[in-house]
Structures are given as structure tokens and as C-alpha cells.
């Protein structure tokens, strides 16, 4: 019925905890087929997460799809088959689960449109985004995944304020260790309150990171991409992550931070991408972990939505 292709994202970007994210050129594709033979719910996963991700009601895309359909006042379809082709590693800090959430919301809105006789691919992206942010609890993965590029997103009383900031081309190396560090665990590690000094430290730097990415000012990015809100509480829980940051910088990266809540580490660079990736791999290996790295451009356009033949 409908296919959505959703990019990876790196959230936080150092000091922009829960407020800033960047779409990356690595993709998960989700296809929704509605069946009327009462076969129930079936999810087929190909690629990353195959054999691991749930294949029925517990699958994140399915649960979000059903939750959003109910919120829209729509009936549950008789039979659902979802096929996902994943190239984003799961639980990596590259927004894989956000692609699943976003797909579920997009599918619900597409079904509602189709039932009204409208084009299911012609979706109201702001309504989709508000639901996806409400479900995730923060928008720094789902907003760039939907809109593409570098996005600032903050909640307000009625929904979200979103600003897509055009940047000069950005290239990254994201290194992901084989280490189980769930976002829920990473969020639980954070304090409930912060000092005024830490708030000021981060507010200023978040603005500087946005300006550095907009202007392509590498020196500013290098100086601004530090954080006191989340990295100090998370980095030491990921063996080798601090060393991966240091070795990427030594290998010529412009700036490096935890990708989202981790365990992945993202390095911004202009050249020497493989060298940076190999150095980060070596840092994780020294800590006893295998890791993989991806050299990724920023992705400017966000989620693609297309109809499938019924
Ligand atoms: N801003 C979120 C966090 C991103 O750091 O917890 C994780 O998806």
C-alpha cells in the first residue's frame, strides 16, 4: 500500500541534548501491506535486526501504528504485513528505533487518508511530526529523520517548534561498538537537575554548534561541540568511547561526540575518513569490543513516501 524510506539520524550533536539532530545518508525502508484474509499481524525484517526484532504486535512499528490509528479514531485493519529493509544498525545511536516509530505514525496517517479516498502518500508532515515527538518524548531523532538535514526541535505548549537550518555539506564517520547500551539506560543515567553554570555552558555551545554547521566553520565546531548535560554521565559507561573520541581527533577529525545516547560515536571531518574510522575501531578493540564504522554524508531531504501497487 505504502512505502516509506527513513534516514538515520544523530541526535544531540554535543551540547544540543534532546533539541538538535542531523539526518544521515543511511536508510531503513518500511512497506505496509493491508490484507483481508485475517492472517493477523506479520513483520518481515531484512538486514539489520533480522531474527532479533519482534515479528508481531510487539514490533515497535506495529505498536505505534495501532496506537496512532486508535488516536485518529480509525479501526484496526484485519491483516497487516510490514516488510522492513534495514541498513541502520539497531541500538547504535543512529536513530534506528526512531525510524520504526516514524514509520508507524506515517502508516497510520496514510491509512486514514486512503480510507477517505485521498492520496495516502500526501501526508501532513507537521501532524505526523507532532505525534512522533509525543510518542518518543523528544524530537531530535524523528524531526531530522522526517525533514532531513540539521534540525532544531523543542517542545512548546501545543506541540513543537521546529527549525531546519541549512548547512554547508557535512561528512561524518560514525563508529558503533557491539555494546548493549539502551537509550532507556542512558536516560536513566542523567541527573534530575543541573546547575545554572552547566545550563549556561550548554545553551551557548548549542547556539555555537548551530552557527558552526550553518557557516561551515570547522574551528568553531571544534571548540563548541562539548557538553555538560549528558556525555559526562554516559561516556564512561561505554568501554572505549572516550578513547575513540580522542583517537578520532588525533587522526584529524574536526570534532567528535556521542551519537545520540550512544553507544555510537560520531566524528565530523573533511578528510581522512577511513583513518578516523580505523582509529575509533582500534580504541573500541583496545577496550575489548568489536565495532563497525560508516562514512556518511548529511542527508538533506528526509523521509521519502511512495505508494505501492495495492
Ligand atoms: N536526545 C536523546 C538522548 C537521543 O540523548 O537521550 C536518544 O535517542
Amino acid at each position: 500500500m505504502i512505502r516509506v524510506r527513513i534516514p538515520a539520524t544523530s541526535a544531540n550533536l554535543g551540547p544540543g541534548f534532546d533539541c538538535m539532530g542531523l539526518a544521515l545518508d543511511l536508510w531503513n525502508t518500511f512497506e505496509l501491506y493491508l490484507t483481508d484474509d485475517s492472517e493477523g499481524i506479520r513483520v518481515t525484517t531484512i538486514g539489520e535486526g533480522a531474527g532479533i526484532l519482534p515479528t508481531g504486535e510487539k514490533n515497535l512499528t506495529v505498536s505505534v501504528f495501532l496506537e496512532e490509528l486508535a488516536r485518529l479514531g480509525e479501526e484496526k485493519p484485519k491483516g497487516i504485513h510490514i516488510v522492513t529493509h534495514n541498513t541502520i544498525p539497531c541500538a547504535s545511536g543512529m536513530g534506528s528505533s526512531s525510524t520504526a516509530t516514524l514509520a508507524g505514525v506515517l502508516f497510520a496517517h496514510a491509512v486514514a487518508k486512503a480510507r477517505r479516498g485521498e492520496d495516502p502518500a500526501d501526508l501532513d508532515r507537521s501532524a505526523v511530526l507532532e505525534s512522533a515527538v509525543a510518542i518518543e518524548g523528544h524530537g531530535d531523532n524523528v524531526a531530522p529523520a522526517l525533514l532531513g538535514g540539521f534540525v532544531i526541535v523543542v517542545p512548546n505548549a501545543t506541540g513543537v517548534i521546529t527549525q531546519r537550518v541549512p548547512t554547508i555539506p557535512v561528512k561524518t564517520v560514525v563508529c558503533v561498538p557491539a555494546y548493549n547500551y539502551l537509550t532507556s539506560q542512558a536516560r536513566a543515567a542523567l541527573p534530575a537537575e543541573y546547575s545554572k553554570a552547566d545550563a549556561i555552558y550548554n545553551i551557548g555551545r548549542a547556539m555555537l554548534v548551530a552557527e558552526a554547521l550553518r557557516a561551515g566553520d570547522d574551528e568553531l565546531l571544534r571548540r563548541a561541540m562539548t557538553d555538560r548535560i549528558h556525555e559526562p554521565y554516559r561516556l564512561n559507561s561505554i568501554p572505549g568511547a572516550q578513547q575513540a573520541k580522542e583517537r578520532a581527533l588525533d587522526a584529524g577529525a574536526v570534532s567528535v561526540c556521542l551519537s545520540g545516547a550512544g553507544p555510537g560515536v560520531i566524528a565530523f571531518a573533511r578528510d581522512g575518513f577511513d583513518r578516523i574510522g580505523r582509529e575509533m575501531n582500534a580504541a573500541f578493540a583496545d577496550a575489548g569490543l568489536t565495532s563497525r564504522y560508516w562514512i556518511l554524508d548529511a542527508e538533506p531531504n528526509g523521509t521519502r513516501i511512495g505508494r505501492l501497487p495495492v
Side-chain angles (χ1 to χ4, degrees):
M1 183 209 169
I2 191 153
R3 172 192 290 134
V4 296
R5 192 162 173 259
I6 306 178
T9 44
S10 185
N12 301 329
L13 303 176
F17 178 72
D18 274 4
C19 305
M20 304 198 309
L22 180 70
L24 299 172
D25 190 14
L26 188 70
W27 300 82
N28 285 349
T29 302
F30 301 80
E31 294 167 358
L32 173 68
Y33 301 91
L34 298 183
T35 59
D36 53 9
D37 52 8
S38 311
E39 67 183 78
I41 294 171
R42 211 152 43 94
V43 181
T44 307
T45 301
I46 299 156
E48 300 285 339
I52 298 166
L53 294 172
T55 56
E57 294 240 5
K58 288 210 166 85
N59 180 279
L60 183 57
T61 303
V62 172
S63 62
V64 169
F65 174 49
L66 298 179
E67 178 186 336
E68 185 67 1
L69 272 180
R71 199 189 66 78
L72 295 172
E74 296 288 335
E75 268 185 27
K76 181 176 168 181
K78 251 183 168 175
I80 299 166
H81 186 197
I82 292 174
V83 180
T84 80
H85 303 256
N86 293 345
T87 63
I88 307 170
C90 299
S92 61
M94 280 203 274
S96 172
S97 61
S98 296
T99 68
T101 297
L102 199 48
V105 175
L106 286 161
F107 285 167
H109 286 245
V111 166
K113 278 232 157 190
R115 285 176 177 167
R116 291 199 298 270
E118 296 170 25
D119 179 359
D122 180 24
L123 296 177
D124 173 354
R125 290 195 182 222
S126 58
V128 166
L129 182 60
E130 298 225 336
S131 292
V133 173
I135 291 165
E136 284 251 301
H138 47 91
D140 50 343
N141 289 112
V142 286
L146 187 65
L147 305 175
F150 169 53
V151 177
I152 301 170
V153 53
V154 292
N156 72 359
T158 54
V160 287
I161 304 172
T162 308
Q163 183 66 33
R164 216 177 147 280
V165 181
T167 66
I168 64 127
V170 170
K171 206 158 184 132
T172 68
V173 185
V174 185
C175 186
V176 179
Y179 186 69
N180 200 11
Y181 190 58
L182 295 176
T183 299
S184 50
Q185 189 185 346
R187 292 185 83 78
L190 304 182
E193 292 178 356
Y194 294 92
S195 69
K196 185 160 78 178
D198 286 352
I200 293 166
Y201 183 99
N202 267 63
I203 291 165
R205 280 166 178 75
M207 290 193 289
L208 292 174
V209 165
E211 170 57 13
L213 290 173
R214 189 198 63 76
D217 186 335
D218 289 350
E219 179 55 19
L220 185 60
L221 192 68
R222 189 185 64 73
R223 290 160 62 211
M225 199 172 258
T226 57
D227 165 70
R228 286 193 188 166
I229 300 288
H230 75 110
E231 281 205 13
Y233 306 97
R234 292 170 163 174
L235 216 50
N236 290 340
S237 303
I238 307 165
Q242 176 64 43
Q243 293 75 10
K245 282 185 63 174
E246 287 162 13
R247 286 178 76 154
L249 287 171
D250 288 347
V254 171
S255 60
V256 192
C257 61
L258 213 50
S259 186
V265 172
I266 182 167
F268 291 78
R270 295 285 171 210
D271 50 28
F273 307 106
D274 273 307
R275 188 173 64 242
I276 292 166
R278 283 196 302 269
E279 285 297 320
M280 290 200 279
N281 270 349
F284 285 119
D286 286 349
L289 298 177
T290 58
S291 57
R292 296 183 283 169
Y293 70 85
W294 287 258
I295 298 168
L296 300 170
D297 290 309
E299 194 291 318
N301 299 314
T303 296
R304 319 289 206 263
I305 305 168
R307 296 179 73 154
L308 290 170
V310 185

